[in-house]
Amino acid sequence: MEMKFWNAIVSCDQTYDGIFYYGVRTTGIFCRPSCPSRTPKQENVTIYADSDTPVRDGLRPCKRCRPDELLTPSIIQTAQAYLADHLADEMTLGKLAEKLYISPFHLQRIFKDETNTSPSKYLQDKRVQHAKQLILETELPIHEIAYAAGFKNAAHFLAVFKKKTSLSPTEFRSAH
């Protein structure tokens, strides 16, 4: 076993989550590198590149770190749902990655691979969609819609909205 994998297991390094998994023969379970469970004996550990192989080898996923939930489509769906539910929150890639228990680099890479956009662009698109809905369904002033949709200020909202729709929010409201 490579020393970097063993060191990641011993230090519960979450930056390796999704990069490899480890199985423990004596317990019959497999975990993520960041699992906070007791460190197993090195001679009982097998390293896996994906979460399917340990299952085929007869290991079950750890109930504590839930490595079976690290499958890419599941991560992306969870990230998208979290972003959609937290439109008005200040969001960073680090904060989102922390909620998903994976590294920011890994999240950025798999999100972009699966959706052809970054998490920040996805969030921005969702905020504009929400703003469109508010413009059409309410009589709220534009600056209140900007804050309700998660934009930090009205000027930024106006610039993003116009770039995405080719119309200002007021023009959009008038046209629809």
Side-chain angles (χ1 to χ4, degrees):
M1 167 185 343
E2 284 189 49
M3 213 51 199
K4 69 177 180 177
F5 294 142
W6 179 245
N7 289 337
I9 294 167
V10 171
S11 64
C12 300
D13 189 346
Q14 76 178 33
T15 61
Y16 283 89
D17 284 358
I19 295 171
F20 79 92
Y21 302 85
Y22 71 94
V24 183
R25 287 184 291 282
T26 53
T27 61
I29 64 166
F30 73 99
C31 298
R32 309 181 207 196
S34 66
C35 187
S37 62
R38 195 166 44 136
T39 304
K41 290 184 178 179
Q42 189 171 3
E43 62 266 16
N44 295 328
V45 172
T46 304
I47 301 298
Y48 296 96
D50 59 52
S51 62
D52 296 331
T53 309
V55 172
R56 285 195 299 268
D57 284 353
L59 301 176
R60 67 172 177 76
C62 174
K63 290 180 180 176
R64 194 166 185 187
C65 68
R66 305 175 74 109
D68 52 330
E69 291 185 358
L70 259 185
L71 301 172
T72 297
S74 174
I75 293 171
I76 303 307
Q77 291 167 355
T78 304
Q80 289 173 326
Y82 186 83
L83 291 171
D85 290 343
H86 296 86
L87 289 177
D89 295 353
E90 188 173 320
M91 189 62 57
T92 64
L93 182 63
K95 183 177 178 182
L96 179 60
E98 187 177 301
K99 295 288 181 192
L100 299 171
Y101 302 104
I102 62 174
S103 75
F105 172 78
H106 186 62
L107 174 60
Q108 177 81 8
R109 187 185 63 194
I110 64 172
F111 199 98
K112 183 106 174 160
D113 288 348
E114 291 292 316
T115 65
N116 294 321
T117 189
S118 68
S120 65
K121 291 288 185 200
Y122 178 84
L123 179 59
Q124 190 176 73
D125 290 344
K126 283 295 181 187
R127 286 176 172 165
V128 170
Q129 285 176 359
H130 185 60
K132 284 180 182 178
Q133 182 181 357
L134 291 173
I135 289 169
L136 296 175
E137 296 176 1
T138 70
E139 295 298 320
L140 288 173
I142 299 302
H143 72 279
E144 287 183 28
I145 290 173
Y147 296 118
F151 289 91
K152 291 181 183 177
N153 61 59
H156 180 65
F157 168 64
L158 294 172
V160 170
F161 193 90
K162 187 153 187 149
K163 182 178 180 186
K164 297 278 184 189
T165 65
S166 301
L167 298 171
S168 73
T170 305
E171 292 168 341
F172 184 83
R173 182 176 268 166
S174 297
H176 296 89

